[in-house]
Structure formats: structure tokens, C-alpha cells
Amino acid sequence: MTMDETAAGRASQPLIVIRDLVREYEIGGQIIRALDGVNLQISRGEFVAIMGPSGSGKSTMMNMIGCLDTPTSGQYVIDGFNVDNLSEDQLAALRNEKIGFVFQNFNLLPKTTALENVELPMMYAGVPGRVRRQRAMEALERVGLADRMHNRPNELSGGQQQRVSIARALVNNPVLILADEPTGALDSRTTEDILKLFEELHQQGNTIVIVTHEDEVGRHAKRIVRFRDGKVELDTTSHEEAGVLGRVH
Amino acid sequence: MFTEIVRVAWRSIRANKMRSFLTMLGIIIGVMAVVLSSAIGLSAKAGVTQQVENLGSNVLTIMPGAASSGGISRGFGTASTLTTKDVTAIQQQDPDVEYVAPLVSTNQQVVYGSNNTNTAIEGTTAAYQQIKNLTMAEGSFFTQTEVDNASNVAVLGSDAEQTLFEGDFGSPIGKTIQIGGVPFTVVGVAASQGSSGFSNADDAIAIPITTATNLFTGSDTVNEILASATSSSTMDQAQLEIESTLRVAHQLTPSESDDFQITNQATILSALSGVDRILTLLLDGISAISLLVGGIGIMNIMLVSVTERTREIGIRKAIGARKSVISTQFLLESLMLSVSGALIGLIVSAIGTEVVSKITKYGNLLSPVAVVASILFSIAIGIVFGVYPARKAANLKPIDALRFE
């Protein structure tokens, strides 16, 4: 890694640097280019929405940013770490330390209480039991679920489950919160609550990337990156985007 | 973190109680087969040893040769080639023979009061007690003097005593019984020897051979001669001596074959225990196969479990679980299944062998070797059959696993 790896050095760099990123899949003998030379930088403290129609490559982009997948070619650097030559276990450690995931269908462990779900990332980080419990409780309080800690996912509403998964995303103090269609399974009122929560987290200084196809969700972000055919089509701050939309309609 | 992994594995076993139990059943049955087959092997061995001890470990049995009629041999024991003279010859000439006793057998009606039975009457000498290692429950065996005097005295087997003196309280010693219509005085009752092989010695009544010859058989031929060697190490020597003594006594030329047969009871029993060994081997084979099948059952269920929990694995990996954490979790689950199966199997077989030991009186034959072996074997099975599913789980790609419905 050629980047300056001291904490101060890293802090001065953009959080995410993506250069000429290409990801190809082979499906039935045919090579599909899901990402076709993407360049993108995201700074610390940004609130970015990645948008685009299905098949645009935004889900592949989310897997790349989340270190769940590795590029075919090109470069991806997060917080000073080049993802390219990391082993599967190193990627797991990187995800554990740097990224908090929020999924469309919550992806909480069933038959496991809210508290234990939130403790999980700390368990894999090797945080000792008592500290873990304490921090998990604080995270649940932060998302407004202090009274639901010992309930299991099937005893919680969709909105509550998504709050648990946000608490789980926050608990290891990641440099990035990465949300994949976080409101896709929620009704409009709950969607509004969850988006407000994301805004609060943004105001507290967290870097947030939301992958979505809903304009409603995108409107809450401060910057929108639009994908089409595996490439960045538009990269705008929200008021510019609004203007563009205004001109289109 | 390890304790958490243990907890997760345990929870998943408990979440599917019925399935886990059925999975364990293969191991439970396998372990029971291991323990019980070793118990059967041990009890067979104990039984043989006990029988050898009952017989006296250094007893030789001499049977008359085969009588032939028209060139057709009628089998050993059918001719009347042994006589009381042979007994005297063996006694006098063979240094490695300690005791010799002739045996003439006849069946007679025996009556005491209103009880009567038809049983074997064995005419013999005082040496019989030493050779057969007989202990007396009451009274004593008849003496050589009583044999020499052809006294009408009888020693009862324990079953014969019970049949004759049923409903009669008090000691049978000194009571008079009728054997074949002749009065005899009971001088002793032998302790039970258990049935050994073909006849029940406890049913028989022993009387002096002289009396038996005078009253019932009327000749000096004997049905059988029992001899004991001075020790178990001189048995082969004693057997050779008896053979040459009898050949001389029967005036056999070198071209003639023996007209008698000497058998060594210990040899017969060791042949029997060889059969037990084959049985044990067979049971061991069956138990090994059932443990193997149990292991395959565990692997099968673990693979189902990995598929069912693909999404869970995806979540864990996305959140930061390393490969080793995932594989440890599944390996532990498989180990817990196999080891709990083994423990349940051991508990059930411990109860089983305890019950059997109450019946057979050989003591609890739960062998420590079998216990340790089945625990080690079940650990090995848990690992061997758990590794593949565990690796499969650990190698799942998080994006594929998360997308799995």
C-alpha cells in the first residue's frame, strides 16, 4: 500500500477512492461487464445516494464499496486500504472494522435478541463481553429501541428491525455506513422515520452511502451518483440534481 | 469468542430438537453396539473361565473306543474296553497323574417318602471329589473305606436333593433313600456346580463304584475314567502317559489304533471361546458399520443445516466473521452431535449392562476400554464428517450467501 497510513495521513485523504473500476461476471459462458470503468471519490462526512435503474450496476457498486466483492481490474481504496490484494479473511476484518451494513431485508439473525444481534460485529472484532453488552445497549438507545433490547426480530415491526440493524451498523464505529435499499421493505411513514435517523447520523459526522432506486430516498442525500450501464452517468449535489430533474420534467 | 461459538452451535442443536435427536440416534446405536459387544465378549470369556474352573482346569476324560458291528464304527464310548483294572494301572504307573476315578453310570428310580425321581446314578471313588473340585453343601463325600466296603451310601447333587427332599425340612444327612429298591444312607449333598455342557451334574447321585457294580451293573467295565494331572502344565505329559499305559494294558500292537479316547476339557472350552471370539468380531464389525452410518447421518444433516442457514452465514461473513469462525461453528455443532450421541449411548448401555449383570452375576461388564474407545471414535466421527460441511459453509461467498432465499 502506497498511501500514507498514519491516522492523520488517512484523515487528510478522501475516504473512498475508486479508479477505473471494472467488474465482469461470467454467466452461462457470456461475459457481462457490470461495472465499466468507474471513477469516484467520497470524502469523510458525505451523505451520498447511489441511484440508477436495475441493471445499471449500482448493486455491484454496493458490493464493491462494501468489500463483499473484489474488482476485476481498477483500484478501490477505503480509508487508506487498497482492497485489491487482500485475502478473504483480511476483507472480513476490513468489513468488520470499517463498514456498517444496513440491508433492505434487515438481515438480522433470527432466534437471536436485538441486543445479541447488535453485539455480533463486536464479537468478531474481539471486544470483551461486558464492554460489548454496554456498547450494544448504548447503540440501541441511540436508535430509540431501549425498551426492545430483549425482543427477537420476529417480535419487532419492520421499522424496529431496521433500527436494530442500524444500531448493529453503528456499534463498531465504522468509517462508512453502507445501506442497500434500506427502506425498500418499509411503508412510507416508517421510511420517513428511518431516513430522518440517517440524516441525524449524517449530522453527527458519519459518512453514509445509500444505494436506492427511490427518488424519495435520494432526496434526503446531499449528493447523488447516478449509474447507467455500469458507468457513472451523473454526479451531483442534491440541489443541482433537483434542478436537473426540474429541467427534465 | 470461543464460548460464543459454542453457544451458537448449542443453540442451533436445540433449535431442531427432533432432528438433532434423530441424527444422534445413529451414533447412540453405534456406541451401544460397541459397548454391548465388548460386554458380550467379556461375559463369554468369564463364563468359559468359570466353567474351566468348575471342571478343574487339569482334568482328562478317558472314554472307551468305538464298538464296531459289521465293520461300521458306532462311535467312541460305545465299546466296553475300559475296566477298573485300567484305573489301577494309571494310578500306579503314571507319575504326572494325581487322581484317577472310574465312573459307571446307570439310571435308577430313586425314592424318598412320597417323592420319587428317575435319575443318573454315578458309581465312583473318593477321588471323584478331588478331580471334580466338588464342594459339599452338607455332610461329606463318601470315603475310600466306604468304597472298599461297598457301603450303601449316597452323595446327592443339589438338584437331586431338592427333588427328593421337597417339603421335607431339616438336614437330609443320615436319611435313608431307596435307589432301585435298595436302601442307601445319604452322607453328603454337593454344592451346585451348574450344568456344564451336555449333562446336569446337579441332578446326579454318586455312590461307591463297588456298590454300583454289585447292585446294578455286575461287571468291572466302566463308562468313563476321569484323571487329573498334577498341574495344568503337566497335562500333555499326563495324557501321553495314560495313553501308553492303556495301550499296554489293552495289549495293542503298534499297528492298532487306540481303543479309547482321551479328551482334555480345557481344549474343548477353548474351542468354544474361539466361537465367542468370532461372535465378538462380528459384533465389532456391525458396531463399526453402524457408527460409520451414524457419521454419514451427521454429515447429511450438517449439509442440510449449512444450506438452510446460508443466509445466516452470509450475514455473519458480511459483518466480519472470518472463515475459521464459521467453520469452527459448524465443526463444533457436528462434534456436539456425535459426542452427545456417544454419551447418551453410553448411559443407555451402562443401564443395560447393569441390568444384565444382575441376571448373569458376572458383575457389570461395561468395559472402560469400550467407553474410552467409543468416546474417541465419536469425536473422530464428528470431526471427519463435520469437516466437509464446515468447509462448505466457510467457503460461501458473502454476496451469494446474502442473496440466497
Side-chain angles (χ1 to χ4, degrees):
Chain A
M1 272 172 255
T2 52
M3 293 264 165
D4 185 347
E5 287 193 19
T6 63
R10 284 211 305 271
S12 66
Q13 302 279 340
L15 179 65
I16 287 172
V17 178
I18 291 169
R19 282 193 206 104
D20 301 322
L21 194 77
V22 173
R23 182 66 170 102
E24 289 172 339
Y25 293 104
E26 201 186 316
I27 299 169
Q30 237 188 332
I31 291 174
I32 306 228
R33 192 168 266 221
L35 291 177
D36 187 11
V38 175
N39 287 291
L40 188 66
Q41 287 201 359
I42 295 172
S43 302
R44 285 162 212 280
E46 278 198 272
F47 187 174
V48 182
I50 291 178
M51 300 189 68
S54 58
S56 62
K58 66 178 194 300
S59 295
T60 310
M61 197 62 218
M62 133 97 199
N63 290 338
M64 289 295 156
I65 294 175
C67 300
L68 292 165
D69 198 1
T70 46
T72 308
S73 69
Q75 201 181 36
Y76 172 40
V77 179
I78 177 168
D79 202 25
F81 288 92
N82 192 338
V83 169
D84 200 25
N85 38 30
L86 296 185
S87 73
E88 217 181 296
D89 277 355
Q90 287 171 316
L91 283 175
L94 197 65
R95 289 194 294 269
N96 182 255
E97 192 188 330
K98 305 284 180 198
I99 302 163
F101 287 95
V102 179
F103 297 98
Q104 175 173 12
N105 36 27
F106 324 132
N107 276 343
L108 297 172
L109 294 184
K111 297 172 184 168
T112 307
T113 64
L115 193 63
E116 286 168 320
N117 263 296
V118 176
E119 278 186 52
L120 205 60
M122 292 187 283
M123 186 175 118
Y124 295 133
V127 176
R130 205 175 303 154
V131 180
R132 218 155 64 199
R133 183 133 299 209
Q134 188 57 40
R135 270 167 57 184
M137 286 163 98
E138 283 165 13
L140 281 167
E141 276 163 23
R142 212 165 139 192
V143 298
L145 281 179
D147 55 339
R148 291 287 185 192
M149 288 183 188
H150 300 289
N151 290 68
R152 293 175 180 185
N154 59 353
E155 298 161 343
L156 299 171
S157 72
Q160 287 170 330
Q161 288 188 56
Q162 197 57 298
R163 281 166 190 275
V164 174
S165 79
I166 291 170
R168 184 179 64 184
L170 288 173
V171 81
N172 260 358
N173 294 320
V175 293
L176 172 69
I177 292 171
L178 181 59
D180 179 21
E181 303 278 7
T183 56
L186 302 175
D187 61 44
S188 56
R189 208 169 58 94
T190 323
T191 296
E192 208 49 47
D193 289 347
I194 293 295
L195 289 173
K196 261 184 211 146
L197 185 55
F198 275 115
E199 274 183 10
E200 271 173 48
L201 294 173
H202 168 58
Q203 275 150 25
Q204 289 160 12
N206 290 290
T207 313
I208 297 171
V209 173
I210 293 185
V211 177
T212 183
H213 65 274
E214 291 173 75
D215 289 334
E216 156 75 16
V217 176
R219 214 163 286 143
H220 285 261
K222 301 291 175 278
R223 177 182 167 193
I224 294 177
V225 179
R226 281 192 177 274
F227 274 74
R228 185 177 284 276
D229 300 329
K231 288 180 174 148
V232 176
E233 186 193 36
L234 262 176
D235 187 348
T236 50
T237 54
S238 56
H239 38 276
E240 287 175 61
E241 170 91 358
V244 169
L245 285 176
R247 277 204 296 278
V248 168
H249 292 292
Chain B
M1 174 135 84
F2 188 73
T3 50
E4 263 86 11
I5 300 176
V6 172
R7 257 192 22 225
V8 169
W10 178 238
R11 193 185 291 177
S12 130
I13 288 172
R14 280 203 1 212
N16 294 297
K17 284 198 189 69
M18 189 62 181
R19 190 166 87 183
S20 301
F21 175 72
L22 289 175
T23 310
M24 280 186 236
L25 204 55
I27 300 293
I28 294 174
I29 292 170
V31 165
M32 281 171 64
V34 169
V35 172
L36 293 181
S37 76
S38 88
I40 287 169
L42 284 177
S43 79
K45 210 165 161 190
V48 168
T49 315
Q50 200 172 347
Q51 278 181 329
V52 170
E53 277 164 10
N54 280 352
L55 278 168
S57 57
N58 43 4
V59 175
L60 294 163
T61 309
I62 303 135
M63 304 279 279
S68 59
S69 52
I72 299 162
S73 169
R74 285 160 59 198
F76 280 103
T78 48
S80 343
T81 52
L82 296 177
T83 64
T84 47
K85 287 193 198 79
D86 294 330
V87 178
T88 319
I90 293 169
Q91 204 154 30
Q92 286 168 354
Q93 295 167 23
D94 300 346
D96 288 312
V97 174
E98 192 170 17
Y99 296 105
V100 196
L103 214 58
V104 296
S105 309
T106 168
N107 266 48
Q108 295 295 334
Q109 201 68 25
V110 184
V111 182
Y112 175 76
S114 59
N115 296 334
N116 79 85
T117 175
N118 189 293
T119 192
I121 307 299
E122 310 269 23
T124 186
T125 60
Y128 182 84
Q129 189 193 2
Q130 271 79 36
I131 296 170
K132 282 280 194 177
N133 237 344
L134 275 189
T135 48
M136 303 304 289
E138 285 181 80
S140 58
F141 208 79
F142 50 75
T143 62
Q144 194 55 44
T145 319
E146 285 166 320
V147 175
D148 294 340
N149 296 342
S151 310
N152 287 6
V153 290
V155 173
L156 308 182
S158 58
D159 287 353
E161 187 263 335
Q162 261 173 20
T163 315
L164 284 172
F165 289 91
E166 197 188 348
D168 187 279
F169 302 103
S171 172
I173 304 298
K175 300 267 169 65
T176 302
I177 58 173
Q178 309 280 327
I179 300 177
V182 182
F184 278 75
T185 308
V186 176
V187 292
V189 176
S192 173
Q193 309 169 69
S195 61
S196 62
F198 314 103
S199 65
N200 184 358
D202 292 341
D203 257 345
I205 296 172
I207 61 174
I209 185 166
T210 43
T211 319
T213 316
N214 290 347
L215 290 173
F216 306 120
T217 60
S219 77
D220 68 346
T221 58
V222 299
N223 300 88
E224 205 177 315
I225 299 173
L226 296 175
S228 67
T230 46
S231 77
S232 52
S233 58
T234 56
M235 277 194 81
D236 292 343
Q237 190 56 38
Q239 187 167 347
L240 289 173
E241 288 166 9
I242 292 168
E243 190 177 359
S244 71
T245 305
L246 289 180
R247 285 188 72 88
V248 171
H250 294 182
Q251 296 170 334
L252 298 173
T253 63
S255 62
E256 285 177 295
S257 55
D258 290 350
D259 59 355
F260 53 89
Q261 189 198 28
I262 306 173
T263 51
N264 175 334
Q265 300 271 27
T267 318
I268 296 172
L269 286 170
S270 79
L272 284 178
S273 78
V275 175
D276 291 333
R277 265 202 297 282
I278 291 167
L279 189 73
T280 312
L281 208 66
L282 189 77
L283 286 168
D284 283 347
I286 291 170
S287 40
I289 289 169
S290 64
L291 276 176
L292 198 71
V293 171
I296 293 169
I298 287 184
M299 177 147 87
N300 192 15
I301 287 302
M302 290 310 297
L303 286 173
V304 170
S305 179
V306 168
T307 307
E308 266 183 4
R309 285 153 67 192
T310 300
R311 207 187 171 77
E312 177 194 322
I313 296 164
I315 297 169
R316 289 180 185 278
K317 293 195 95 171
I319 281 171
R322 256 166 285 146
K323 277 174 148 187
S324 59
V325 172
I326 301 290
S327 60
T328 309
Q329 181 189 327
F330 281 90
L331 200 57
L332 264 176
E333 194 174 324
S334 137
L335 254 178
M336 281 179 183
L337 281 174
S338 66
V339 173
S340 336
L343 291 179
I344 294 174
L346 283 176
I347 291 167
V348 174
S349 11
I351 295 168
T353 51
E354 184 62 35
V355 169
V356 170
S357 78
K358 288 273 188 302
I359 298 164
T360 60
K361 298 168 192 135
Y362 288 143
N364 196 329
L365 292 166
L366 185 67
S367 102
V369 176
V371 171
V372 172
S374 50
I375 288 177
L376 290 181
F377 207 80
S378 69
I379 289 173
I381 277 178
I383 292 172
V384 167
F385 291 99
V387 161
Y388 174 65
R391 284 181 55 115
K392 200 180 165 193
N395 286 332
L396 282 172
K397 292 244 170 295
I399 38 170
D400 299 334
L402 278 173
R403 219 175 285 144
F404 185 85
E405 293 301 328

